[in-house]
Amino acid sequence: TQERLLAAVESHVQKSPDAVDLGEVGASEQVRSLLPVVLPCVASEFPALDAQSLRVSSACVTRELPTTTALATAPLEPALVTCIIDLGSPHSGGGFWFRANGQVHRPAPGHAILFASSLSHVEVPVSEGVRRTLVLQIVSASQPNVGLRLQAQGTALREAGDLSGSRAALEQSIRENGLVPESWRELGKTQQALQDMKAAETTYNRAVQLSRLNTKDVADFEALFLLGCLRQALDKTDEASTCFEEALAVGAPPSRNRIRHEIDAEHNWALTLMAMDKFEEAAVILDQVLDEDPNAEESWSALGVCMVKLGQEEAALLCQQQVLRIQGLKESDNVALE
């Protein structure tokens, strides 16, 4: 079945930067041939589910290289269980990181990972080779998973600009299941977009607290970062600084954007330290940012301010020169685009 499935979709996977929806490329027969094995396995691992009530709501094959910047996926219906099968193409690294245990899981070729779809997880990029995976989203006729569906709907409505609808859907999602940190985090984003800062702060804080309960006192990086940024905007500098410090101690999930997320947290942490007149500590952190991203214009500018405050005029001048260099690069890029 694995070979027939790959043969059916290989030309589509090679051409498309997106995941290939198997229903759209005529590979439904190959997927159906897997179901007598997959669905009983799901029911066995999740005893509350009845195999007769299970169905695959969507199926896609993804193709990933070390240079892939974001693993695209076909639009997926919110599911109860996700099944990811490694299709056996040679690769190194990669896998799937789960926040619940902080571990990376890598299925052997031809083997699968089954997990509750609501579990927070990220794709870990491969270091070499090509990884092809079959992703099956499994739903149950007897358990519609209303909370997760409402969470997905609320997120989509916010991205579409319907903030009132987003808030209503996310609040209903929390009424269905108030123990999912991601639902609180998404509601906080909507409340912040609605300029309800007080409510957003309370909601982000709830997301942080729930994430600690779910993962042995390790909070969610994104929730901490969002809470820190909000408190920074509210001039709660000391509390914001604590959020950024804890977020960096936890570390961002090992996705393709991990370094970018941690750089943003470091930069904001340095700004809070500057606001508290801790210029030497801020300078150390900004140095770390610039080691990772030498073209971080705002970090060079902030470091220049630190150098002035610390009486290091030559170092401040060098920082200003770096700012001018980066601005010159941006102007050159704009001219080239024109």
Side-chain angles (χ1 to χ4, degrees), residues 220-241:
D220 176 46
F221 175 91
E222 184 180 356
L224 280 167
F225 178 74
L226 290 167
L227 180 58
C229 290
L230 183 64
R231 286 176 169 169
Q232 194 175 17
L234 294 173
D235 292 328
K236 296 184 177 182
T237 306
D238 194 13
E239 294 171 84
S241 187

Side-chain angles (χ1 to χ4, degrees), residues 292-307:
E292 295 161 339
D293 182 5
N295 289 327
E297 180 183 346
E298 292 183 2
S299 295
W300 278 114
S301 180
L303 182 58
V305 172
C306 290
M307 294 299 100

Side-chain angles (χ1 to χ4, degrees), residues 51-95:
Q52 299 302 315
S53 72
L54 299 177
R55 67 178 179 85
V56 172
S57 62
S58 59
C60 67
V61 169
T62 64
R63 176 177 182 268
E64 179 199 358
L65 301 165
T67 54
T68 302
T69 55
L71 186 59
T73 56
L76 300 176
E77 178 182 354
L80 276 175
V81 176
T82 299
C83 175
I84 298 177
I85 302 174
D86 188 304
L87 294 177
S89 52
H91 65 274
S92 299

